[in-house]
Amino acid sequence: MAILGIFLLLIVGIPLAAIVDRLVYVKIAGLSGPALLVPLQSAAFLLFQQSNRTERPDLLNWLLAPVSYVVLAAVGLSVVPFEPGFVPVHLDVGIVLWGMCEALTVVVVFLHGWSANAPLPLIGAYRYVAIGLPVVLLSMFVLIGAALPAQSLSIPAIVDSQRTLINAVRQPLGLPLFLMLGLSVSLRGPFDYGDSSDLASGTAAEISGSARLGWCVAKLAMLVSFSAMAATIFLGGYLGLLLPGPLWLLIKTAAVLIVMVVAGQVFARTPVSRMLTLLWVVLLPLAFLDLLIAGLGAMR
Amino acid sequence: MMGGTPYGRPMAMTMADVRDGLELDAFTMIVGPFLPMLPPGLQLELTLQGDLVQSAKVLRPPYYEDTTHGCDQQRAVGLRRAARLLELLELAAMARRCRRIADTRQWEMLPSLRRMVALSGALAAIPRGLGTYLGSDVRERMMRALEAVSGVGRPNESDTADGCRLVDLLAGLEWGEAMLVISSFDDATLLRIAPVRAEEPQAHEGYH
C-alpha cells in the first residue's frame, strides 16, 4: 500500500513536472497559445521516432542507465514519510539511503554518457563526474546539519524535529545549497554539466526516440523525488495546519518543484572550470559554515 | 609499436598538456558543419585532450549571412547570434525569446530581454577576458549583440587586423569556453579570422 504511494507520486508528478517546465519556458520565451499539451505531444513524437544507434555502444549500460536513474529516484522517494507512521520503507538511516541515491546518480549519468561510445556524450559524462561529486559532498554537510537537531538519521525523526521550527529557517544556508544539488542530480540549468547545450545535450547527444523519452522521464522522476525530499527535510514534510499530512507534503513538493524549474531556466551556466572553483572555494566552505550553524544551534 | 590508423581510425596518442601537466590521450575529431552550438557551415578539426582544445583547424568557413540589405536584418542577425550564446549558457527559453524578437522585428521587446539576461547572471558566467580579440571579449561582444544596434563595422575593425586567427584563440580553451568564443563573433569577423588554410603536408600521417 505504502509502496503504491511512491509510484502514484511519480506517475502523477512526472507529467506535472513536464507541464510546469513547459509553462515556465513559455512564460520566459514570451510565447502564446496553449502549452499544456506540448509535453504530451513531444512525448508521443519521441515514442514513435526511430531510435538512434551509435557504432559499438555499450548497449547494456545504455539501456540500464535511464532505468537505474528512475529506480534511484523511486528508492530515494521510498524513505519520505507521507504522514506520521506512514512511510513506504521505514529505515533508521533513511537519510543515508538518500545520500546513496545522490552519489549513484553520478555513476548512472556517467554510464549513460560512456556507453554511447561517442565523443560528445563522453565529454559530458566526465564533466558531470567532476561537478557532480563536489555537489554531492556539499549536500552531505547540509543533510548532516538537518540530522543534528533530530539526533537521528531517520527521516520521520527529522520531520518530527521540525515541529517547532522548520530546517529551512533553522539552517538558512541549507535549503539553497540543497537546491543546487537538486539541479545537479536532475541535470538542470546552471548545474546541467552532463546534458549541457554546448555538447549538443551531452550524454543525451546520441539518443533519440524512446531512449530519449526514457531519459527525459528519468530526469523528471529524479526532479520529483528530489522535490519531495527537500520538502521533507527542509520544509517540514507532512507537518501543517488544518489540511491532512499527505496534502501538505504534496503542496510543499510542488512548491519546491516550481522553484527548481524556474531556477533551471533563469540562471546561466558557467563554464566547467569556473564552476569547479566556485564549488570548492566558495560553496563547500559555505556548507561547512552551514554545518557549524546547525551544530551550534543543536547544542543549545 | 604505437600510433598508426588501425581500422581507418587514428590511434589516440598522448601529447604534452597545455593545462595541468596531466597527459591524456589526444583525440582528433571533426565538428560541423551543422551542429547546434556552432555557426552554420563552420567545420573544424579539433584535437582534444579530454575537454580541452589543444589545436584547431578550420576545414570549412561559416556561411555568410548578407547583412547589407538594411539595418533591420543586421539587427536580426546579431540577435540570432546572441540567441546561440544564450543557449550555450543553458538559457534556452531566453534564447527562444531572443530569436522571436529577431524574427518578428519587435525591437521594443529588447529591453525586457536584456533585463532578464542581466538577472540570469549570464555576464558573470562568462569568464572575463575570454576570447579577447581587438580589445573586446566574449562578454562585451554578447552585450553588443543583445543591444542589436545597427551600423556597419566598428572603426578599429579592418581587414588588416593583427593577423589573429580563430584557431589561435581556441587553443588551450575548455570545450564550453571554446564554443562561447566561436559563437561570439559576427559573420564577417568570423570569416576573416577563420580562413581555410591550404592543406599542409601531412608529415606525420596518423599521428594527431
Side-chain angles (χ1 to χ4, degrees):
Chain A
M1 174 59 203
I3 302 285
L4 266 180
I6 307 171
F7 289 107
L8 205 67
L9 196 55
L10 282 181
I11 286 168
V12 176
I14 290 168
L16 279 181
I19 289 171
V20 170
D21 202 13
R22 177 69 197 174
L23 284 176
V24 173
Y25 179 88
V26 163
K27 180 83 190 126
I28 295 173
L31 303 174
S32 53
L36 293 179
L37 278 180
V38 175
L40 208 61
Q41 284 164 350
S42 331
F45 170 73
L46 284 177
L47 198 58
F48 292 107
Q49 193 190 34
Q50 192 183 7
S51 273
N52 191 29
R53 269 286 290 273
T54 53
E55 194 182 337
R56 289 183 164 274
D58 184 344
L59 257 189
L60 180 70
N61 279 321
W62 219 7
L63 292 174
L64 272 184
V67 178
S68 332
Y69 205 173
V70 175
V71 168
L72 284 178
V75 169
L77 200 54
S78 72
V79 286
V80 171
F82 288 69
E83 58 181 349
F86 187 84
V87 196
V89 176
H90 194 86
L91 262 189
D92 286 341
V93 288
I95 209 159
V96 178
L97 187 81
W98 169 254
M100 180 207 77
C101 291
E102 289 173 9
L104 287 180
T105 299
V106 177
V107 178
V108 164
V109 174
F110 176 80
L111 275 182
H112 189 242
W114 163 267
S115 50
N117 193 22
L120 297 182
L122 189 66
I123 296 176
Y126 275 109
R127 189 190 253 193
Y128 184 70
V129 173
I131 297 293
L133 282 178
V135 177
V136 168
L137 270 182
L138 211 146
S139 89
M140 295 300 160
F141 291 121
V142 168
L143 289 179
I144 295 170
L148 278 176
Q151 298 184 351
S152 167
L153 294 171
S154 133
I155 294 186
I158 291 174
V159 175
D160 216 42
S161 74
Q162 300 179 68
R163 280 193 190 280
T164 46
L165 190 62
I166 55 171
N167 278 335
V169 180
R170 200 183 269 155
Q171 199 189 332
L173 291 171
L175 186 57
L177 290 172
F178 196 57
L179 290 182
M180 291 178 194
L181 166 93
L183 290 172
S184 169
V185 291
S186 59
L187 295 169
R188 272 181 176 269
F191 282 85
D192 181 2
Y193 287 90
D195 289 2
S196 46
S197 52
D198 59 334
L199 293 165
S201 74
T203 74
E206 299 285 350
I207 52 171
S208 62
S210 48
R212 197 176 190 90
L213 180 63
W215 187 246
C216 292
V217 166
K219 288 203 275 189
L220 290 174
M222 188 46 96
L223 178 67
V224 171
S225 179
F226 168 82
S227 304
M229 191 51 84
T232 302
I233 294 177
F234 288 97
L235 301 175
Y238 57 71
L239 298 177
L241 298 171
L242 297 171
L243 298 173
L247 200 59
W248 268 117
L249 179 68
L250 287 183
I251 292 171
K252 290 173 185 175
T253 301
V256 175
L257 194 139
I258 291 170
V259 169
M260 293 282 295
V261 168
V262 172
Q265 301 208 17
V266 301
F267 292 121
R269 176 173 48 74
T270 185
V272 67
S273 48
R274 285 195 112 199
M275 180 51 92
L276 265 184
T277 312
L278 186 69
L279 277 168
W280 288 102
V281 177
V282 180
L283 295 176
L284 269 169
L286 269 183
F288 281 130
L289 184 67
D290 173 70
L291 187 56
L292 189 70
I293 294 170
L296 290 176
M299 268 165 52
R300 271 193 291 120
Chain B
M1 197 190 100
M2 288 176 80
T5 48
Y7 302 101
R9 307 271 167 85
M11 267 298 259
M13 297 292 290
T14 59
M15 246 185 190
D17 184 62
V18 286
R19 179 165 53 181
D20 49 15
L22 183 69
E23 287 192 15
L24 295 168
D25 288 350
F27 175 73
T28 301
M29 70 189 280
I30 292 174
V31 293
F34 302 110
L35 262 184
M37 60 277 191
L38 287 178
L42 180 67
Q43 194 178 36
L44 295 168
E45 187 185 271
L46 297 177
T47 298
L48 301 171
Q49 218 181 40
D51 65 344
L52 195 77
V53 178
Q54 277 207 325
S55 64
K57 201 162 97 182
V58 178
L59 299 183
R60 206 204 159 287
Y63 294 124
Y64 180 69
E65 204 164 345
D66 191 9
T67 53
T68 50
H69 293 313
C71 52
D72 262 9
Q73 200 199 0
Q74 211 169 42
R75 293 169 115 180
V77 168
L79 274 184
R80 289 198 191 100
R81 191 171 70 251
R84 201 166 60 233
L85 281 169
L86 291 176
E87 237 157 32
L88 285 174
L89 295 168
E90 218 69 55
L91 296 169
M94 288 180 207
R96 183 78 162 71
R97 193 186 190 97
C98 192
R99 287 211 173 89
R100 245 186 97 230
I101 297 174
D103 294 344
T104 56
R105 319 256 144 130
Q106 290 172 311
W107 311 124
E108 68 278 4
M109 284 171 71
L110 268 175
S112 73
L113 174 70
R114 273 204 295 275
R115 249 194 321 277
M116 269 187 200
V117 173
L119 286 176
S120 76
L123 283 192
I126 303 173
R128 191 186 293 277
L130 179 66
T132 304
Y133 174 72
L134 291 177
S136 76
D137 60 0
V138 174
R139 266 190 200 188
E140 201 185 320
R141 288 194 290 270
M142 183 173 95
M143 280 327 278
R144 210 180 314 124
L146 274 175
E147 273 155 24
V149 281
S150 55
V152 191
R154 287 176 307 133
N156 60 345
E157 268 183 355
S158 64
D159 284 350
T160 55
D162 49 3
C164 175
R165 297 180 309 154
L166 179 68
V167 290
D168 303 326
L169 289 174
L170 295 184
L173 290 185
E174 181 265 334
W175 178 279
E177 293 169 345
M179 293 301 131
L180 283 171
V181 168
I182 296 171
S183 285
S184 67
F185 291 110
D186 59 77
D187 285 354
T189 313
L190 197 55
L191 266 180
R192 196 166 55 242
I193 63 175
V196 181
R197 309 268 286 180
E199 197 58 43
E200 287 148 21
Q202 298 258 313
H204 304 286
E205 184 70 41
Y207 287 81
H208 287 274

